[in-house]
Each structure stands twice: as C-alpha cells, then as structure tokens.
Amino acid sequence: MKIIFSHLHFSSYSTRSRLHVYIFHPSKIFAQSNIPDIPDILSSGFTTAKSISESWENQWLDLLQNNTSENLYGALTNLGVFFAVGTLLFFMIQWLRDVIYSEYSRPISALIWPFVVVILLTNTGSGSVLSNLTLGIRNFINTVNQQVITTADVNRNYQQALSMGVAEEVAGSVLRPCQSLTGEQQNQCFQRAREKIEILWQTYRDLYGDKVWINRLESKINQIAFSTNSVPENTFNSFLGSTVQTSIKNFLISLQYAFQNLIEATMLLVATLGPLAVGGSLLPVAGKPIFAWMTGFLSLGIAKISFTIIAILTATVIVNGPGEDASADPDLMWFMIFLGVLAPIVSLLLAGAGGFAVFNAISNTATWAKERV
C-alpha cells in the first residue's frame, strides 16, 4: 500500500518551476506496532521531490553549459558541424545556380545562413551560442510557468485539491491495520492511529488554514477511530474507500507526475539535438530544420504551461466548490483521472496546435525577410 501526500513545490531557483506530487512507498503493510510517522514521511517526500527538481536543473547545466567540449552535447555539436560541412556543398551548388539564373539579391541574402550556422555551432568549451540560447529559451518558459503558478494559485488550490483527494486514503492506511484486531488491542491501535492522524490534520491546517473540507474529513475518520465496536471491512470501504480505489488513485497521481518529468526529459532531448538541426539548415529546401527544431522546443513549453493552467483552474473549482461545502462528500476520482490522463492529452493537443501556428509564423517571417534582404 502507498501513502500519498501532495504538495506544490516552489523552487528556490527562478529558472524552473513545476507542480510536484510527493509519493511515498512504505516497505511493508503497516502492522499494529508500525504505524507510520507522518512528519517524517512529509519531510522525506519534500526532500525527494526537491532533489529530483534540482537534479533536472543540474542536468541541463551539465549538458548544455559545463564542459561541452567533452560531453554528449559537444559530441553532437561536432556532428552538427560535420552535417554543416556536408550540406555546404549542396548549398554552394544552389547558390551558384541562383547567381547564374536569378537576380543577385537572392544569392546575397542566402549567404547569411552559413554565417548563422558557424556562429551558432562555435563551441568554446563552456557552451556554444546555440546552447546558451537554448538555455535562455528554457529559462524564459519556466519563468512564465512560475508566474502562472504564483498568480493563479495564490491559495495553493492545486495542493489542496490533491490533499482532498488522498486524505481519506492516508488516514485509512493508518487505521486499516487496526481492523484485524479485536477488543482492547483494537482500541489501543485506534488510539495510536488517532495520534498520528491528528498530526496529519494539524499539518493540513498549518498549510491551508482551518478549511471546511479538513473538518469534514476529520469527522468522517472519527466515526471509525472512536468506534467501540469491531469495524467490518465494508464499513471501512464505505467511509475510506477500498484498497483497489487507493491503488488506482496512486497510479493516476503517478501518471501526472510522470507526464511532468516526461515533458522535462523531452525538452532536454530536443535541446540536445539542436546542433543537428542547425547543421542541416544549409540544405537548399524550403523548410529549414532549425525552424522545425525551434517549433518542437516551443511546443513542449506550451504543453508544460498548458498543463499547469489546466491543473490549477480545475483544482480551484474543486476547492471553492465542494471544498467549502460541509454537507458535500465529493468523490474526487474524476479529478485524479483528469490530471493523470485527460489533462496531459489536452495540453499536448494545445501544444500541437500552438506549434503549428509557431512554425507557420517563423516560416512566413523567414520568407518575408528573405524577400527584402
């Protein structure tokens, strides 16, 4: 069984920001004498997610800026230079043909591309112009994403909505070991469990204040924790959900966290392939590879920002709606499905449409500049 706590992590670095979910995997099913220490779990989860975020940041710097003459990016830059030299032959053939059959304005403007390629691929060992531009674009995307989080999620609604969705499972994982006991042993187990769960409620109140949904869940849990009779399995399931439902929620939360890391990994992959796109841009074709590369990179940034906006807006609806209604008993499984499956799909569709528009804009701008230079 997994215990899940959710937090919205704001990095101390201004160049990166992501919505984070901290997921914890205890090594065993909790026994009577092994009720988890919730503060330690919260601290461990925060440290783990922060470590992952910092590791991504260091990976970007190590790959694109530090010692690029010997790492993977440096090797791909050399390969990009090889492509540029190879495609220069085709470029010169096309250029001479334009000189012979066309006006001189077109060949002269076309000479800009070799200089652009040389400048972008010049590697000084501490990063090329291309790698620094790539890092700059990535930092700009993350700055915009951070601004979205800061302005649209002032009350940490995303964090609250996830906490609402998993709080019953967290409390249930502490109470369930007591179910198999009877009599005084069960009462003692419930007492120790209540002490742990009280820390959870206090932690939530410290984070969000004295919210209606916290008091509602606390009352719901107390109906089991203060029960003087043996609590059957169906009662546990009706109040706290079944273990199958808990596993599904864990999986869906893991999916949305995996999507965020996939976006980061894909952005890094596209950034790494930049020298190849630049090296192939001397080919005498209408669509330059560098335009497609820029479009792909910006599209991933659009997907990242879109997912953040969708997640925060949906979470705000939950927190301001059923979260403030004491009589409501919402089943937030739909929210987990939305975050884990639907939101990534929608953000990728928006990124595809936005990327197509960006590609057309870049291509049209290049055509306009070529006609006037």
Side-chain angles (χ1 to χ4, degrees):
M1 184 182 297
K2 301 177 184 176
I3 295 183
I4 305 177
F5 293 89
S6 55
H7 292 268
L8 183 58
H9 174 54
F10 295 92
S11 171
S12 59
Y13 296 91
S14 61
T15 55
R16 71 177 186 273
S17 59
R18 278 190 302 175
L19 295 169
H20 287 286
V21 179
Y22 306 159
I23 303 175
F24 309 96
H25 309 264
S27 57
K28 299 179 180 179
I29 301 296
F30 304 124
Q32 175 186 357
S33 60
N34 187 30
I35 297 175
D37 194 336
I38 290 175
D40 290 345
I41 293 175
L42 287 169
S43 177
S44 174
F46 178 86
T47 302
T48 300
K50 183 178 180 181
S51 175
I52 293 175
S53 180
E54 290 177 350
S55 180
W56 276 118
E57 181 72 14
N58 294 334
Q59 187 64 50
W60 275 91
L61 295 177
D62 290 342
L63 196 60
L64 270 68
Q65 199 168 66
N66 299 334
N67 197 23
T68 54
S69 60
E70 299 179 2
N71 63 9
L72 175 62
Y73 192 83
L76 290 176
T77 299
N78 294 334
L79 184 58
V81 172
F82 176 78
F83 282 0
V85 173
T87 56
L88 183 61
L89 175 62
F90 298 98
F91 175 85
M92 293 305 299
I93 293 174
Q94 181 65 40
W95 184 81
L96 290 172
R97 181 183 177 185
D98 290 339
V99 169
I100 296 173
Y101 296 104
S102 303
E103 298 179 359
Y104 284 98
S105 60
R106 181 178 176 185
I108 292 176
S109 64
L111 282 177
I112 296 175
W113 276 110
F115 291 102
V116 171
V117 170
V118 170
I119 293 173
L120 291 177
L121 294 182
T122 300
N123 190 355
T124 61
S126 59
S128 61
V129 174
L130 177 62
S131 66
N132 290 326
L133 286 175
T134 304
L135 277 175
I137 295 173
R138 184 244 179 184
N139 293 342
F140 174 74
I141 291 172
N142 281 350
T143 299
V144 173
N145 197 50
Q146 179 65 37
Q147 290 175 349
V148 170
I149 295 174
T150 303
T151 56
D153 200 40
V154 177
N155 298 321
R156 294 190 285 188
N157 292 331
Y158 173 81
Q159 180 180 354
Q160 285 196 60
L162 280 178
S163 296
M164 288 175 59
V166 301
E168 290 184 7
E169 280 71 21
V170 175
S173 64
V174 179
L175 290 174
R176 281 189 189 279
C178 306
Q179 181 198 357
S180 59
L181 305 176
T182 58
E184 185 61 26
Q185 286 185 330
Q186 188 180 67
N187 292 334
Q188 293 177 2
C189 181
F190 277 146
Q191 182 178 354
R192 288 192 295 272
R194 288 197 301 269
E195 294 173 358
K196 299 292 182 181
I197 296 175
E198 281 298 326
I199 298 175
L200 175 64
W201 303 138
Q202 187 58 48
T203 301
Y204 281 154
R205 290 189 174 98
D206 291 341
L207 288 171
Y208 317 125
D210 191 18
K211 296 294 184 178
V212 173
W213 66 267
I214 300 176
N215 297 328
R216 183 180 65 229
L217 287 175
E218 184 178 15
S219 300
K220 191 174 182 180
I221 297 299
N222 287 342
Q223 293 185 47
I224 294 178
F226 287 96
S227 176
T228 57
N229 300 320
S230 179
V231 182
E233 176 71 19
N234 59 351
T235 302
F236 264 96
N237 292 343
S238 63
F239 276 91
L240 306 177
S242 65
T243 55
V244 174
Q245 186 177 14
T246 302
S247 299
I248 294 174
K249 285 187 177 182
N250 291 335
F251 175 72
L252 292 172
I253 291 178
S254 297
L255 273 184
Q256 66 104 354
Y257 189 47
F259 174 75
Q260 295 179 60
N261 281 276
L262 178 63
I263 288 292
E264 194 74 22
T266 307
M267 287 185 70
L268 186 57
L269 174 62
V270 173
T272 305
L273 297 177
L276 303 184
V278 173
S281 295
L282 293 180
L283 286 172
V285 293
K288 299 294 184 182
I290 188 174
F291 295 158
W293 173 79
M294 290 177 61
T295 302
F297 194 77
L298 293 175
S299 296
L300 290 170
I302 294 174
K304 185 176 186 177
I305 297 172
S306 297
F307 180 84
T308 300
I309 295 174
I310 292 171
I312 290 177
L313 291 180
T314 309
T316 301
V317 171
I318 293 173
V319 172
N320 294 337
E324 296 296 331
D325 188 353
S327 61
D329 188 14
D331 183 2
L332 296 183
M333 178 64 77
W334 71 267
F335 180 59
M336 303 302 174
I337 296 174
F338 186 84
L339 283 183
V341 180
L342 300 181
I345 293 175
V346 172
S347 61
L348 289 177
L349 291 176
L350 290 174
F356 181 76
V358 169
F359 181 79
N360 285 337
I362 294 175
S363 299
N364 293 336
T365 302
T367 302
W368 177 85
K370 185 176 180 180
E371 292 174 351
R372 287 162 175 77
V373 174

Short mmCIF file of all heavy atoms in Angstrom, two decimals, residues 28-78:
data_model
loop_
_atom_site.label_atom_id
_atom_site.label_comp_id
_atom_site.label_asym_id
_atom_site.label_seq_id
_atom_site.Cartn_x
_atom_site.Cartn_y
_atom_site.Cartn_z
N LYS A 28 6.48 -1.95 4.02
CA LYS A 28 5.59 -3.05 4.41
C LYS A 28 4.18 -2.54 4.64
O LYS A 28 3.96 -1.35 4.85
CB LYS A 28 6.09 -3.70 5.72
CG LYS A 28 7.49 -4.31 5.61
CD LYS A 28 7.88 -4.89 6.96
CE LYS A 28 9.28 -5.52 6.89
NZ LYS A 28 9.70 -6.07 8.19
N ILE A 29 3.25 -3.45 4.60
CA ILE A 29 1.91 -3.12 5.06
C ILE A 29 2.00 -2.85 6.55
O ILE A 29 2.66 -3.56 7.30
CB ILE A 29 0.93 -4.29 4.81
CG1 ILE A 29 0.89 -4.60 3.32
CG2 ILE A 29 -0.44 -3.98 5.32
CD1 ILE A 29 0.35 -3.50 2.46
N PHE A 30 1.32 -1.78 7.01
CA PHE A 30 1.50 -1.34 8.38
C PHE A 30 0.96 -2.38 9.36
O PHE A 30 -0.17 -2.82 9.27
CB PHE A 30 0.78 -0.01 8.59
CG PHE A 30 1.23 1.05 7.64
CD1 PHE A 30 0.33 1.70 6.84
CD2 PHE A 30 2.58 1.35 7.53
CE1 PHE A 30 0.75 2.66 5.94
CE2 PHE A 30 2.99 2.30 6.65
CZ PHE A 30 2.08 2.96 5.85
N ALA A 31 1.77 -2.69 10.31
CA ALA A 31 1.35 -3.59 11.40
C ALA A 31 0.96 -2.75 12.59
O ALA A 31 1.14 -1.54 12.63
CB ALA A 31 2.49 -4.53 11.76
N GLN A 32 0.46 -3.41 13.61
CA GLN A 32 -0.02 -2.71 14.78
C GLN A 32 1.09 -1.88 15.41
O GLN A 32 0.87 -0.77 15.87
CB GLN A 32 -0.56 -3.72 15.80
CG GLN A 32 -0.99 -3.07 17.13
CD GLN A 32 -1.37 -4.11 18.14
OE1 GLN A 32 -1.37 -5.29 17.86
NE2 GLN A 32 -1.70 -3.66 19.34
N SER A 33 2.30 -2.40 15.42
CA SER A 33 3.41 -1.71 16.05
C SER A 33 4.19 -0.85 15.07
O SER A 33 5.21 -0.28 15.42
CB SER A 33 4.38 -2.73 16.67
OG SER A 33 4.87 -3.59 15.66
N ASN A 34 3.69 -0.73 13.83
CA ASN A 34 4.44 0.00 12.81
C ASN A 34 3.56 1.03 12.12
O ASN A 34 3.42 1.06 10.92
CB ASN A 34 5.01 -0.97 11.78
CG ASN A 34 5.93 -0.27 10.80
OD1 ASN A 34 6.57 0.71 11.15
ND2 ASN A 34 5.99 -0.78 9.58
N ILE A 35 2.90 1.88 12.91
CA ILE A 35 2.10 2.97 12.36
C ILE A 35 3.05 4.05 11.90
O ILE A 35 3.94 4.46 12.65
CB ILE A 35 1.11 3.52 13.40
CG1 ILE A 35 0.13 2.42 13.81
CG2 ILE A 35 0.36 4.71 12.86
CD1 ILE A 35 -0.82 2.82 14.91
N PRO A 36 2.95 4.55 10.67
CA PRO A 36 3.95 5.44 10.10
C PRO A 36 4.02 6.78 10.81
O PRO A 36 3.03 7.28 11.31
CB PRO A 36 3.50 5.60 8.65
CG PRO A 36 2.05 5.31 8.69
CD PRO A 36 1.84 4.27 9.74
N ASP A 37 5.20 7.35 10.81
CA ASP A 37 5.43 8.67 11.38
C ASP A 37 5.19 9.70 10.29
O ASP A 37 6.02 9.90 9.41
CB ASP A 37 6.85 8.77 11.91
CG ASP A 37 7.02 10.00 12.80
OD1 ASP A 37 6.25 10.95 12.62
OD2 ASP A 37 7.93 9.98 13.66
N ILE A 38 4.05 10.36 10.33
CA ILE A 38 3.63 11.24 9.24
C ILE A 38 4.58 12.42 9.03
O ILE A 38 4.92 12.74 7.89
CB ILE A 38 2.18 11.72 9.47
CG1 ILE A 38 1.23 10.54 9.29
CG2 ILE A 38 1.81 12.85 8.52
CD1 ILE A 38 -0.20 10.84 9.60
N PRO A 39 5.06 13.10 10.08
CA PRO A 39 6.01 14.20 9.81
C PRO A 39 7.27 13.74 9.09
O PRO A 39 7.77 14.44 8.21
CB PRO A 39 6.32 14.72 11.22
CG PRO A 39 5.15 14.35 12.04
CD PRO A 39 4.70 13.02 11.50
N ASP A 40 7.79 12.56 9.46
CA ASP A 40 8.97 12.06 8.78
C ASP A 40 8.68 11.77 7.31
O ASP A 40 9.51 12.03 6.44
CB ASP A 40 9.48 10.77 9.46
CG ASP A 40 10.08 11.06 10.82
OD1 ASP A 40 10.36 12.24 11.10
OD2 ASP A 40 10.25 10.10 11.61
N ILE A 41 7.48 11.25 7.03
CA ILE A 41 7.10 10.95 5.65
C ILE A 41 6.98 12.24 4.84
O ILE A 41 7.46 12.33 3.71
CB ILE A 41 5.77 10.17 5.62
CG1 ILE A 41 5.96 8.79 6.23
CG2 ILE A 41 5.25 10.05 4.21
CD1 ILE A 41 4.68 8.00 6.36
N LEU A 42 6.35 13.27 5.43
CA LEU A 42 6.23 14.54 4.74
C LEU A 42 7.60 15.14 4.43
O LEU A 42 7.86 15.60 3.32
CB LEU A 42 5.42 15.52 5.60
CG LEU A 42 3.92 15.27 5.71
CD1 LEU A 42 3.32 16.13 6.79
CD2 LEU A 42 3.23 15.51 4.40
N SER A 43 8.49 15.10 5.42
CA SER A 43 9.83 15.64 5.22
C SER A 43 10.60 14.87 4.17
O SER A 43 11.28 15.45 3.31
CB SER A 43 10.60 15.63 6.56
OG SER A 43 11.92 16.07 6.38
N SER A 44 10.47 13.54 4.21
CA SER A 44 11.15 12.71 3.23
C SER A 44 10.65 12.98 1.82
O SER A 44 11.42 13.07 0.87
CB SER A 44 10.96 11.23 3.58
OG SER A 44 11.49 10.40 2.58
N GLY A 45 9.34 13.13 1.67
CA GLY A 45 8.76 13.39 0.36
C GLY A 45 9.19 14.74 -0.20
O GLY A 45 9.48 14.87 -1.38
N PHE A 46 9.21 15.75 0.66
CA PHE A 46 9.65 17.07 0.21
C PHE A 46 11.10 17.02 -0.26
O PHE A 46 11.45 17.58 -1.30
CB PHE A 46 9.51 18.08 1.36
CG PHE A 46 9.98 19.47 1.01
CD1 PHE A 46 9.12 20.36 0.39
CD2 PHE A 46 11.27 19.88 1.30
CE1 PHE A 46 9.55 21.63 0.05
CE2 PHE A 46 11.69 21.15 0.98
CZ PHE A 46 10.83 22.02 0.36
N THR A 47 11.94 16.34 0.51
CA THR A 47 13.36 16.23 0.15
C THR A 47 13.53 15.49 -1.18
O THR A 47 14.34 15.89 -2.03
CB THR A 47 14.14 15.50 1.25
OG1 THR A 47 13.97 16.21 2.49
CG2 THR A 47 15.61 15.42 0.92
N THR A 48 12.76 14.42 -1.38
CA THR A 48 12.87 13.63 -2.61
C THR A 48 12.49 14.46 -3.83
O THR A 48 13.21 14.49 -4.83
CB THR A 48 11.99 12.38 -2.52
OG1 THR A 48 12.41 11.59 -1.41
CG2 THR A 48 12.09 11.56 -3.80
N ALA A 49 11.34 15.13 -3.77
CA ALA A 49 10.88 15.92 -4.92
C ALA A 49 11.81 17.09 -5.21
O ALA A 49 12.09 17.41 -6.36
CB ALA A 49 9.46 16.42 -4.68
N LYS A 50 12.31 17.73 -4.16
CA LYS A 50 13.24 18.83 -4.35
C LYS A 50 14.54 18.34 -4.98
O LYS A 50 15.12 18.99 -5.85
CB LYS A 50 13.52 19.51 -3.01
CG LYS A 50 14.43 20.73 -3.12
CD LYS A 50 14.63 21.38 -1.77
CE LYS A 50 15.55 22.61 -1.90
NZ LYS A 50 15.79 23.25 -0.60
N SER A 51 14.97 17.15 -4.54
CA SER A 51 16.20 16.57 -5.10
C SER A 51 16.04 16.27 -6.59
O SER A 51 16.95 16.52 -7.39
CB SER A 51 16.57 15.29 -4.34
OG SER A 51 17.68 14.65 -4.92
N ILE A 52 14.87 15.74 -6.98
CA ILE A 52 14.61 15.46 -8.39
C ILE A 52 14.62 16.74 -9.21
O ILE A 52 15.20 16.81 -10.30
CB ILE A 52 13.28 14.71 -8.56
CG1 ILE A 52 13.37 13.30 -7.93
CG2 ILE A 52 12.89 14.61 -10.03
CD1 ILE A 52 12.07 12.55 -7.93
N SER A 53 13.97 17.79 -8.68
CA SER A 53 13.92 19.06 -9.39
C SER A 53 15.31 19.65 -9.57
O SER A 53 15.67 20.13 -10.65
CB SER A 53 13.02 20.04 -8.62
OG SER A 53 12.95 21.27 -9.27
N GLU A 54 16.12 19.61 -8.52
CA GLU A 54 17.49 20.13 -8.61
C GLU A 54 18.34 19.28 -9.54
O GLU A 54 19.23 19.80 -10.23
CB GLU A 54 18.11 20.18 -7.22
CG GLU A 54 17.49 21.23 -6.31
CD GLU A 54 18.09 21.21 -4.92
OE1 GLU A 54 18.84 20.26 -4.62
OE2 GLU A 54 17.80 22.14 -4.14
N SER A 55 18.07 17.98 -9.59
CA SER A 55 18.82 17.10 -10.47
C SER A 55 18.56 17.44 -11.93
O SER A 55 19.48 17.43 -12.76
CB SER A 55 18.46 15.63 -10.20
OG SER A 55 19.18 14.77 -11.04
N TRP A 56 17.30 17.75 -12.27
CA TRP A 56 16.98 18.18 -13.63
C TRP A 56 17.72 19.46 -13.97
O TRP A 56 18.28 19.60 -15.07
CB TRP A 56 15.48 18.40 -13.80
CG TRP A 56 14.69 17.17 -14.09
CD1 TRP A 56 13.69 16.63 -13.34
CD2 TRP A 56 14.81 16.32 -15.25
NE1 TRP A 56 13.19 15.50 -13.93
CE2 TRP A 56 13.86 15.28 -15.11
CE3 TRP A 56 15.64 16.33 -16.36
CZ2 TRP A 56 13.71 14.28 -16.05
CZ3 TRP A 56 15.50 15.33 -17.31
CH2 TRP A 56 14.54 14.32 -17.14
N GLU A 57 17.74 20.42 -13.04
CA GLU A 57 18.42 21.68 -13.28
C GLU A 57 19.91 21.45 -13.52
O GLU A 57 20.50 22.02 -14.45
CB GLU A 57 18.22 22.61 -12.07
CG GLU A 57 18.86 23.98 -12.21
CD GLU A 57 18.16 24.86 -13.21
OE1 GLU A 57 17.03 24.53 -13.61
OE2 GLU A 57 18.75 25.89 -13.60
N ASN A 58 20.52 20.62 -12.70
CA ASN A 58 21.95 20.34 -12.87
C ASN A 58 22.22 19.62 -14.18
O ASN A 58 23.27 19.83 -14.82
CB ASN A 58 22.45 19.49 -11.70
CG ASN A 58 22.42 20.25 -10.38
OD1 ASN A 58 22.49 21.48 -10.36
ND2 ASN A 58 22.29 19.53 -9.27
N GLN A 59 21.28 18.75 -14.59
CA GLN A 59 21.46 18.03 -15.85
C GLN A 59 21.46 18.98 -17.03
O GLN A 59 22.25 18.84 -17.97
CB GLN A 59 20.35 16.98 -16.00
CG GLN A 59 20.52 16.04 -17.19
CD GLN A 59 21.77 15.19 -17.06
OE1 GLN A 59 22.00 14.56 -16.04
NE2 GLN A 59 22.58 15.17 -18.10
N TRP A 60 20.57 19.96 -17.01
CA TRP A 60 20.55 20.96 -18.07
C TRP A 60 21.87 21.72 -18.14
O TRP A 60 22.44 21.91 -19.22
CB TRP A 60 19.40 21.96 -17.83
CG TRP A 60 18.08 21.51 -18.36
CD1 TRP A 60 17.12 20.80 -17.70
CD2 TRP A 60 17.55 21.75 -19.67
NE1 TRP A 60 16.04 20.56 -18.50
CE2 TRP A 60 16.26 21.15 -19.72
CE3 TRP A 60 18.02 22.41 -20.79
CZ2 TRP A 60 15.46 21.18 -20.85
CZ3 TRP A 60 17.23 22.46 -21.93
CH2 TRP A 60 15.96 21.85 -21.96
N LEU A 61 22.37 22.14 -16.99
CA LEU A 61 23.61 22.91 -16.97
C LEU A 61 24.81 22.06 -17.37
O LEU A 61 25.68 22.51 -18.13
CB LEU A 61 23.82 23.51 -15.58
CG LEU A 61 22.79 24.56 -15.13
CD1 LEU A 61 23.08 25.01 -13.71
CD2 LEU A 61 22.79 25.76 -16.08
N ASP A 62 24.84 20.83 -16.86
CA ASP A 62 25.98 19.95 -17.19
C ASP A 62 26.02 19.62 -18.68
O ASP A 62 27.09 19.50 -19.27
CB ASP A 62 25.90 18.65 -16.38
CG ASP A 62 26.17 18.88 -14.90
OD1 ASP A 62 26.74 19.93 -14.56
OD2 ASP A 62 25.78 18.01 -14.09
N LEU A 63 24.85 19.47 -19.28
CA LEU A 63 24.80 19.04 -20.67
C LEU A 63 25.01 20.19 -21.65
O LEU A 63 25.69 20.04 -22.67
CB LEU A 63 23.45 18.36 -20.95
CG LEU A 63 23.34 17.51 -22.22
CD1 LEU A 63 24.36 16.37 -22.19
CD2 LEU A 63 21.94 16.95 -22.36
N LEU A 64 24.44 21.36 -21.34
CA LEU A 64 24.46 22.45 -22.31
C LEU A 64 25.45 23.56 -22.00
O LEU A 64 25.67 24.43 -22.85
CB LEU A 64 23.06 23.07 -22.43
CG LEU A 64 22.12 22.45 -23.48
CD1 LEU A 64 21.73 21.04 -23.09
CD2 LEU A 64 20.88 23.31 -23.69
N GLN A 65 26.04 23.54 -20.81
CA GLN A 65 26.89 24.67 -20.46
C GLN A 65 28.24 24.27 -19.90
O GLN A 65 29.25 24.92 -20.18
CB GLN A 65 26.16 25.57 -19.45
CG GLN A 65 26.71 26.98 -19.35
CD GLN A 65 25.80 27.89 -18.57
OE1 GLN A 65 25.61 27.70 -17.37
NE2 GLN A 65 25.23 28.88 -19.23
N ASN A 66 28.30 23.22 -19.11
CA ASN A 66 29.55 22.85 -18.44
C ASN A 66 30.33 21.84 -19.27
O ASN A 66 29.84 20.75 -19.57
CB ASN A 66 29.25 22.26 -17.06
CG ASN A 66 28.54 23.25 -16.16
OD1 ASN A 66 28.68 24.46 -16.33
ND2 ASN A 66 27.78 22.75 -15.19
N ASN A 67 31.55 22.20 -19.63
CA ASN A 67 32.47 21.28 -20.30
C ASN A 67 31.85 20.66 -21.56
O ASN A 67 31.89 19.45 -21.77
CB ASN A 67 32.91 20.17 -19.33
CG ASN A 67 34.15 19.44 -19.81
OD1 ASN A 67 34.93 19.98 -20.59
ND2 ASN A 67 34.33 18.21 -19.36
N THR A 68 31.30 21.51 -22.42
CA THR A 68 30.61 21.00 -23.61
C THR A 68 31.57 20.50 -24.68
O THR A 68 31.12 19.98 -25.70
CB THR A 68 29.72 22.10 -24.22
OG1 THR A 68 30.51 23.28 -24.46
CG2 THR A 68 28.58 22.45 -23.27
N SER A 69 32.87 20.66 -24.48
CA SER A 69 33.82 20.15 -25.46
C SER A 69 34.02 18.65 -25.33
O SER A 69 34.55 18.01 -26.24
CB SER A 69 35.18 20.86 -25.30
OG SER A 69 35.71 20.63 -24.01
N GLU A 70 33.58 18.06 -24.18
CA GLU A 70 33.81 16.64 -23.96
C GLU A 70 32.55 15.83 -23.68
O GLU A 70 32.60 14.61 -23.67
CB GLU A 70 34.78 16.45 -22.78
CG GLU A 70 36.16 17.08 -23.02
CD GLU A 70 37.08 16.89 -21.83
OE1 GLU A 70 36.65 16.25 -20.84
OE2 GLU A 70 38.23 17.37 -21.87
N ASN A 71 31.43 16.48 -23.43
CA ASN A 71 30.22 15.73 -23.08
C ASN A 71 29.39 15.40 -24.31
O ASN A 71 29.81 15.61 -25.46
CB ASN A 71 29.39 16.50 -22.04
CG ASN A 71 28.87 17.83 -22.58
OD1 ASN A 71 28.98 18.12 -23.77
ND2 ASN A 71 28.31 18.64 -21.71
N LEU A 72 28.18 14.89 -24.08
CA LEU A 72 27.30 14.47 -25.18
C LEU A 72 26.95 15.63 -26.09
O LEU A 72 26.93 15.48 -27.33
CB LEU A 72 26.03 13.84 -24.59
CG LEU A 72 24.94 13.43 -25.58
CD1 LEU A 72 25.45 12.37 -26.54
CD2 LEU A 72 23.70 12.93 -24.83
N TYR A 73 26.65 16.78 -25.52
CA TYR A 73 26.28 17.93 -26.34
C TYR A 73 27.43 18.36 -27.24
O TYR A 73 27.23 18.74 -28.40
CB TYR A 73 25.84 19.09 -25.46
CG TYR A 73 25.18 20.22 -26.22
CD1 TYR A 73 23.83 20.15 -26.54
CD2 TYR A 73 25.90 21.33 -26.63
CE1 TYR A 73 23.21 21.17 -27.26
CE2 TYR A 73 25.30 22.36 -27.33
CZ TYR A 73 23.95 22.27 -27.65
OH TYR A 73 23.34 23.28 -28.36
N GLY A 74 28.66 18.27 -26.70
CA GLY A 74 29.82 18.60 -27.51
C GLY A 74 29.99 17.64 -28.68
O GLY A 74 30.32 18.04 -29.80
N ALA A 75 29.73 16.35 -28.42
CA ALA A 75 29.83 15.35 -29.49
C ALA A 75 28.78 15.62 -30.57
O ALA A 75 29.08 15.53 -31.78
CB ALA A 75 29.68 13.95 -28.92
N LEU A 76 27.57 15.96 -30.16
CA LEU A 76 26.52 16.25 -31.14
C LEU A 76 26.79 17.56 -31.87
O LEU A 76 26.42 17.73 -33.04
CB LEU A 76 25.16 16.30 -30.45
CG LEU A 76 24.63 14.95 -29.94
CD1 LEU A 76 23.34 15.13 -29.18
CD2 LEU A 76 24.42 13.99 -31.11
N THR A 77 27.45 18.50 -31.19
CA THR A 77 27.83 19.75 -31.87
C THR A 77 28.85 19.46 -32.97
O THR A 77 28.76 20.01 -34.07
CB THR A 77 28.42 20.74 -30.86
OG1 THR A 77 27.43 21.06 -29.86
CG2 THR A 77 28.85 22.03 -31.55
N ASN A 78 29.81 18.58 -32.66
CA ASN A 78 30.78 18.18 -33.70
C ASN A 78 30.09 17.49 -34.87
O ASN A 78 30.44 17.69 -36.03
CB ASN A 78 31.84 17.26 -33.10
CG ASN A 78 32.70 17.97 -32.07
OD1 ASN A 78 32.86 19.19 -32.12
ND2 ASN A 78 33.25 17.22 -31.13
#
